[in-house]
Amino acid sequence: QVQVVESGGGLVQTGGSLRLSCTASGLRFDDYDMAWFRQAPGKEREGVSCITRYDVTRYYGDSVKGRFTISRGNAKNTLYLQMNSLKPEDTAIYYCAAARGSFCSIGDMNEYNYFAWGQGTQVTVSS
């Protein structure tokens, strides 16, 4: 059974930093491109960043480019998201997911191309 567990969220002030982690089990982690998504209240889930299997390519959404860094530790089956210079508009539940194929690009980062969703971790940025 495939399972992912996100952690590392919390409450932070504007300009602060957080590091999210996502640990996956039940799948061969290095067989999959991975991504972070987020969903703010009343909004659709959006792709934040993705990383290919062996970290050859990373993509970022325009709203987080230059502030967030995605990485992965294949030996630990773990995906990370370092978030710096946080803004109130970054407030959301953050999810990680595995790609169903080669879907690590901004145009392909949607919930239909990904699976293995966890419960998410709440990130709240106060102004």
Side-chain angles (χ1 to χ4, degrees):
Q1 181 180 357
V2 178
Q3 185 177 16
V4 298
V5 179
E6 302 94 340
S7 62
L11 173 63
V12 64
Q13 291 184 335
T14 297
S17 298
L18 286 172
R19 188 192 194 207
L20 306 184
S21 298
C22 164
T23 301
S25 60
L27 78 169
R28 182 166 174 165
F29 189 72
D30 57 10
D31 276 351
Y32 295 90
D33 296 351
M34 298 292 295
W36 286 99
F37 291 77
R38 67 185 181 186
Q39 187 167 19
K43 295 188 176 181
E44 294 185 352
R45 192 170 298 187
E46 65 168 343
V48 174
S49 179
C50 62
I51 185 169
T52 52
R53 293 166 51 186
Y54 295 110
D55 196 7
V56 173
T57 304
R58 304 177 183 183
Y59 285 101
Y60 297 93
D62 288 340
S63 61
V64 305
K65 202 172 294 183
R67 300 187 297 122
F68 290 11
T69 302
I70 192 171
S71 61
R72 64 190 295 160
N74 285 349
K76 295 184 177 181
N77 283 13
T78 302
L79 179 72
Y80 304 98
L81 185 68
Q82 178 66 44
M83 306 187 296
N84 298 328
S85 302
L86 283 161
K87 304 174 181 180
E89 51 263 45
D90 294 318
T91 295
I93 300 175
Y94 284 71
Y95 303 88
C96 73
R100 297 184 186 277
S102 297
F103 292 124
C104 181
S105 68
I106 293 300
D108 288 328
M109 266 202 299
N110 61 69
E111 59 186 314
Y112 304 106
N113 290 335
Y114 283 77
F115 73 107
W117 299 94
Q119 294 298 308
T121 186
Q122 175 71 50
V123 171
T124 303
V125 184
S126 63
S127 57

